[in-house]
Structure formats: structure tokens, C-alpha cells
Amino acid sequence: MDVACPWCWIAKRRFEAAEAEFGGDVALEYHSFELAPDLPADYVSSEAEFLELLYAGTTREEAEQMMWVVRGTGTRHGLAYRFDLVQHTSTFRAHQLLHHAKAQGRQLPALDALFSAFFERGRDLRRIDELVALAGEVGLDTRGTRTMLVSGRYADAVRADRRLSAAFGVDAIPTYVVEGRPPIHGAKRPAVLVEALRSAAGNVQG
């Protein structure tokens, strides 16, 4: 999961719908996956420019079409994508904040806050001040968060997730790994995810 991945926010909403329909206990953990882990620390671009960089050969018209599809799908899930405001940057520090939030039992609200900050409010997620403010919005201690970000306490945890994704053969997101099932790639509709959860629950009970 990357907070700069537009389909990941949709995938999160669809999984929440599937989880509600499934109705059973679900142990859910989101792992870091940077779309572009090699971005320079000072990189900033528009969404269209980033898509052209990420997908070699993509034209500006094709990038605009990609964003149009995401906006339409997002609207149906109550998500307002403001690609005109997006500042595409490295998400390495944002992922460190998510690991910190996970340790405090606040990963899911932190993830939503970061998605909203990136896609709805055009916040620059490279900046420690921005991330500290977002941490405060979801009930995390701002002083402790700043200390964590300055020290890079969870930098190795982000890198470990890179290795974990490689071990599972995950090279694109969104992807869900449900125990006993092949990886589920893409922002699948809730029915697909419900079936996977029920299958996994049946395997556990059996």
C-alpha cells in the first residue's frame, strides 16, 4: 500500500465493504510498498508528470485518462480526488509514520488521513511538519512523532516491507494477501474479497 497510489485508496474502501459483509473477525495489516522508492528526496511533480515517469511511454493524454477513470470510480466511493492539487513526492517518510501509527494501534485512521492529505488537500508528504500535523489529527502524540521522523526510527521497517513484498512476489499494488489464497491483485470489487475471506475462514475452521 502506498499513500500515493490512487487505486489503493479505492481498494481500502472496497475491502472495508467486504469486511462488513463478511462479518467475521479479520486480522488486517497494511504493509509499505513505495511506487517509486528511488525518487530523490527533493522530487516534486504533478500527478500527470509522475504517471509519465512511472509508466514509460505514457502520453499526457493517457495520463489524463487514467486520472479521469480514478476520479469517477472514487466518486462512487465517496472519495474526492483533486489531481490538480497533488504534489507527487517521495513517500518514504509517510510510510515511516504509518509504521509508527501501527505501533500505536492507529494505522487505519493514519492511512486515511494520509490518503486525504495527498489526494484531496495537496499536502507535501516529504515534510516533517506536515506529517506531524497529520499525526495529531489522528490522535498520535506530535512530539513523539516528530522525534521518530527526525531519527528515522522506522526507516528499516519500510525497507523490510520492500523485501517482504518481493518474497511474496508482489510487484504492483494494490495487492491483498489472504492466508491460504493466491495474492489478489488490483482494487477488486467487494464480492471477490468476501469470497476470499470466507474461503480462508473455512480453511481455518477445517
Side-chain angles (χ1 to χ4, degrees), residues 18-56:
E19 187 177 9
E21 182 177 342
F22 170 65
D25 293 332
V26 176
L28 175 64
E29 181 179 0
Y30 285 104
H31 290 274
S32 299
F33 186 106
E34 298 156 275
L35 286 173
D38 297 325
L39 282 182
D42 60 350
Y43 176 89
V44 183
S45 77
S46 69
E47 180 72 7
E49 290 168 337
F50 178 74
L51 289 172
E52 291 170 331
L53 173 69
L54 187 64
Y55 304 110

Side-chain angles (χ1 to χ4, degrees), residues 27-191:
L28 175 64
E29 181 179 0
Y30 285 104
H31 290 274
S32 299
F33 186 106
E34 298 156 275
L35 286 173
D38 297 325
L39 282 182
D42 60 350
Y43 176 89
V44 183
S45 77
S46 69
E47 180 72 7
E49 290 168 337
F50 178 74
L51 289 172
E52 291 170 331
L53 173 69
L54 187 64
Y55 304 110
T58 296
T59 66
R60 180 56 57 95
E61 291 74 19
E62 290 168 336
E64 293 289 348
Q65 177 66 19
M66 291 178 192
M67 291 186 285
W68 181 84
V69 172
V70 169
R71 276 194 298 265
T73 306
T75 296
R76 294 193 290 274
H77 292 277
L79 307 176
Y81 287 89
R82 290 292 310 273
F83 289 118
D84 57 316
L85 299 179
V86 165
Q87 300 184 69
H88 227 297
T89 65
S90 167
T91 56
F92 186 54
R93 279 183 174 155
H95 282 291
Q96 293 176 58
L97 174 57
L98 285 172
H99 278 276
H100 176 65
K102 179 168 62 177
Q104 307 299 317
R106 302 294 294 164
Q107 185 187 42
L108 297 184
L111 184 55
D112 271 327
L114 286 164
F115 275 133
S116 176
F118 189 85
F119 286 114
E120 293 183 320
R121 294 182 276 167
R123 304 280 281 272
D124 184 347
L125 299 187
R126 294 171 305 165
R127 302 194 179 281
I128 288 177
D129 285 348
E130 293 277 21
L131 294 172
V132 169
L134 291 169
E137 290 179 13
V138 298
L140 293 171
D141 175 69
T142 55
R143 181 177 296 180
T145 299
R146 182 179 297 278
T147 298
M148 176 276 298
L149 289 169
V150 170
S151 70
R153 184 186 311 159
Y154 289 100
D156 284 343
V158 178
R159 298 184 184 104
D161 272 353
R162 293 176 189 169
R163 295 190 293 272
L164 182 65
S165 63
F168 275 96
V170 175
D171 58 6
I173 50 174
T175 294
Y176 282 96
V177 178
V178 179
E179 187 173 1
R181 303 273 301 186
I184 300 170
H185 300 288
K188 293 292 191 291
R189 297 186 182 277

